[in-house]
Amino acid sequence: MGAVEDNQLVVSPGHCICIRVVVPPKQSASGSPLTNTTGLTKYRPLPMWPADALMVDLVQTSSKLDNGTEDPLYSGARITVSVDNFRALTNDHDTLRPHVYEGTARLYDPGIYAVDARVEARNGLWNAEPGQTIPVYEEEAAECAITIRVKRDPRHPTYLDRHQNLPLCVDGDNPGRWVPESNLPGSWKKWSYLYPAEDGRVWLPYWCRLRRISHAEFVFHMSYMYPAVHWYGDSNSRRTLRPLVSAGKWCHRKSSLERLDCLCNDAPKDIFPSEWYAGMPVPHWYRVHTHGINGSEIYLDLRPGGGRTDPRPILEKDPVDDRYLPDFVSPGYGNRNDHFDLYYLFTRGTQDMYGSFWSRDISRDAIARYPSAALVVFQMVTWDVAFGRFDEFVRQTALLVRRLKKVYPEAKFVYRSGPYWCCRAPEGQDK
């Protein structure tokens, strides 16, 4: 158990922290409690989910060595640990009374942590359905006077200095933290940890290691594990496919990270054909090679009577700087030319819009001429949240799952959810 010293909770590495958040009733402009909340009850929270949207993080603000100096491994790292598994301890559908929530988190890295708590939306306002007014986003900060100090134990296996001693991860579901690459010891080889994100931070799990996998090695494993992939999804998937089919050459220069098409806008047609932006869904076939797609195989229009190929090269508008491309290729992979086939169809979740609808587009007849899929990827939610109702989404999803099992009885499935910041904005605001 932890001890409280001068408004500071002191715990050992791995201690489970319990956080409670009290959300008071919404007040009027004059500061007095609201007595009429009729307008707040029309926004229906999802079953089993809190009525209030909470974001609570524990942020490391300092990590000092025994001599009083900042530990270079953690200096400026601002390690952030999310508080998850929130549950309501009171009736959070009562808009006239305080709502109390409880969540948990585990802290491993030594140092002082402050509570960063925000209420993003109250009383189900985050779930505005079509036809309802979309509230303006008004984040509210919550106050907490207590900090948390995690004791230093350099022998603890999760301590950053011992990270290279951990075994390799065998799956992707491992808790960890983001650490600036500049904080990592110079003795670490770059291939021994993942590529940094756009902000220069690296994801490091607590109990295992993730290493870099070059595109050549990825294609090799796909060629024998999943030689054919069928992929259904919207523009969020299209952004994922761009670096995949270009062997990492798309938007990988640091200078390109400020470009709108690299940050969020997938409208530029630098890789994909105009048909991808037209009304009717157009399936496309790719043969993904060790070094990306060959010029004659960039995409193929597979509509009935189709067969056109386009030799346009897959390169970003700026010259590619090799320093920002994958810089490690496992021995034996550099001279290989493996490949796997990828069939992609643009879908809009469960929505029947602009000529696209899963019930018409996904069938045994539609995929009969393509290589049998060993893996099926389906991405949804973005269009459903923007244009659909939750009850209809639940109904359509059940039907979709049954259809996928019928069309692909032997395949494995990967589900990709929508992005976190998604998908509707108040009238007059930028989408």
Side-chain angles (χ1 to χ4, degrees):
M1 296 294 292
V4 178
E5 304 173 0
D6 298 327
N7 283 340
Q8 187 174 87
L9 177 64
V10 182
V11 299
S12 299
H15 192 101
C16 184
I17 308 296
C18 175
I19 302 290
R20 286 187 177 178
V21 179
V22 179
V23 182
K26 188 75 172 177
Q27 294 181 333
S28 65
S30 63
S32 59
L34 291 177
T35 57
N36 182 1
T37 58
T38 303
L40 298 180
T41 58
K42 64 181 182 179
Y43 298 93
R44 179 166 56 93
L46 303 186
M48 307 302 293
W49 284 88
D52 305 302
L54 307 176
M55 288 284 289
V56 182
D57 296 325
L58 303 177
V59 182
Q60 186 194 73
T61 59
S62 176
S63 183
K64 294 185 177 181
L65 299 169
D66 294 337
N67 60 11
T69 61
E70 287 288 333
D71 187 336
L73 286 174
Y74 296 98
S75 178
R78 288 189 62 81
I79 290 173
T80 301
V81 179
S82 297
V83 180
D84 299 319
N85 303 318
F86 271 106
R87 63 188 183 97
L89 301 182
T90 58
N91 178 13
D92 59 346
H93 288 216
D94 186 342
T95 57
L96 297 177
R97 296 182 181 276
H99 302 163
V100 182
Y101 300 98
E102 183 179 78
T104 58
R106 291 188 182 274
L107 298 176
Y108 294 93
D109 296 299
I112 308 298
Y113 292 79
V115 179
D116 179 12
R118 288 151 288 158
V119 180
E120 294 188 297
R122 294 169 175 255
N123 303 310
L125 292 177
W126 48 268
N127 190 37
E129 296 274 43
Q132 293 181 326
T133 301
I134 304 172
V136 175
Y137 182 77
E138 294 179 335
E139 182 181 276
E140 302 176 66
E143 297 180 358
C144 181
I146 295 179
T147 59
I148 302 168
R149 179 167 67 88
V150 180
K151 297 177 182 178
R152 179 174 298 275
D153 181 4
R155 295 174 297 178
H156 198 278
T158 62
Y159 188 63
L160 266 183
D161 197 36
R162 301 172 62 87
H163 186 77
Q164 293 295 310
N165 297 332
L166 296 174
L168 287 172
C169 299
V170 296
D171 57 50
D173 186 17
N174 296 284
R177 70 289 215 195
W178 291 97
V179 179
E181 185 181 25
S182 57
N183 285 43
L184 303 183
S187 59
W188 288 20
K189 302 297 184 183
K190 287 193 173 184
W191 58 263
S192 66
Y193 57 86
L194 296 182
Y195 296 105
E198 289 86 348
D199 61 1
R201 297 194 298 170
V202 177
W203 177 253
L204 299 174
Y206 290 123
W207 297 101
C208 60
R209 290 184 295 115
L210 292 170
R211 68 173 179 88
R212 302 187 184 188
I213 298 177
S214 66
H215 186 84
E217 187 178 356
F218 167 73
V219 172
F220 167 73
H221 288 290
M222 290 293 293
S223 68
Y224 73 87
M225 288 292 294
Y226 306 108
V229 179
H230 291 193
W231 191 312
Y232 302 92
D234 56 29
S235 57
N236 186 243
S237 289
R238 191 161 55 201
R239 292 183 61 79
T240 304
L241 289 175
R242 274 189 164 107
L244 177 65
V245 302
S246 65
K249 295 182 177 66
W250 182 72
C251 288
H252 261 63
R253 292 189 68 200
K254 285 190 175 182
S255 61
S256 69
L257 295 179
E258 298 300 322
R259 292 199 337 233
L260 185 60
D261 56 320
C262 292
L263 289 172
C264 64
N265 183 6
D266 63 279
K269 305 170 185 179
D270 52 348
I271 292 181
F272 302 118
S274 298
E275 290 89 341
W276 278 50
Y277 303 86
M280 295 299 293
V282 181
H284 289 84
W285 167 87
Y286 300 85
R287 176 153 286 179
V288 183
H289 291 267
T290 297
H291 304 291
I293 293 179
N294 291 343
S296 62
E297 297 175 311
I298 290 180
Y299 49 73
L300 176 66
D301 187 342
L302 293 177
R303 290 178 299 181
R308 176 184 63 82
T309 60
D310 191 320
R312 289 181 293 178
I314 298 182
L315 288 175
E316 48 179 326
K317 302 177 185 66
D318 303 326
V320 176
D321 189 330
D322 288 339
R323 290 179 299 168
Y324 303 120
L325 296 181
D327 54 2
F328 170 75
V329 178
S330 302
Y333 289 99
N335 296 322
R336 299 187 64 90
N337 191 23
D338 304 293
H339 72 266
F340 67 94
D341 291 326
L342 190 151
Y343 159 81
Y344 177 82
L345 181 66
F346 190 99
T347 55
R348 294 175 171 84
T350 63
Q351 299 297 299
D352 184 354
M353 299 179 66
Y354 304 111
S356 171
F357 187 39
W358 69 266
S359 184
R360 294 189 299 268
D361 303 333
I362 302 177
S363 66
R364 288 182 176 177
D365 290 341
I367 65 171
R369 57 179 140 166
Y370 311 130
S372 179
L375 181 69
V376 177
V377 180
F378 199 95
Q379 189 268 332
M380 59 194 302
V381 171
T382 310
W383 284 73
D384 302 290
V385 172
F387 300 102
R389 302 189 65 87
F390 177 70
D391 51 359
E392 180 63 14
F393 170 75
V394 172
R395 189 181 74 84
Q396 289 287 338
T397 299
L399 297 174
L400 170 62
V401 169
R402 288 200 288 268
R403 174 68 64 82
L404 289 173
K405 289 182 177 179
K406 181 179 179 180
V407 175
Y408 299 102
E410 304 296 331
K412 291 185 178 180
F413 291 87
V414 171
Y415 165 70
R416 299 185 75 244
S417 64
Y420 176 76
W421 290 107
C422 161
C423 304
R424 305 179 71 196
E427 294 297 326
Q429 289 193 359
D430 293 337
K431 299 295 187 288

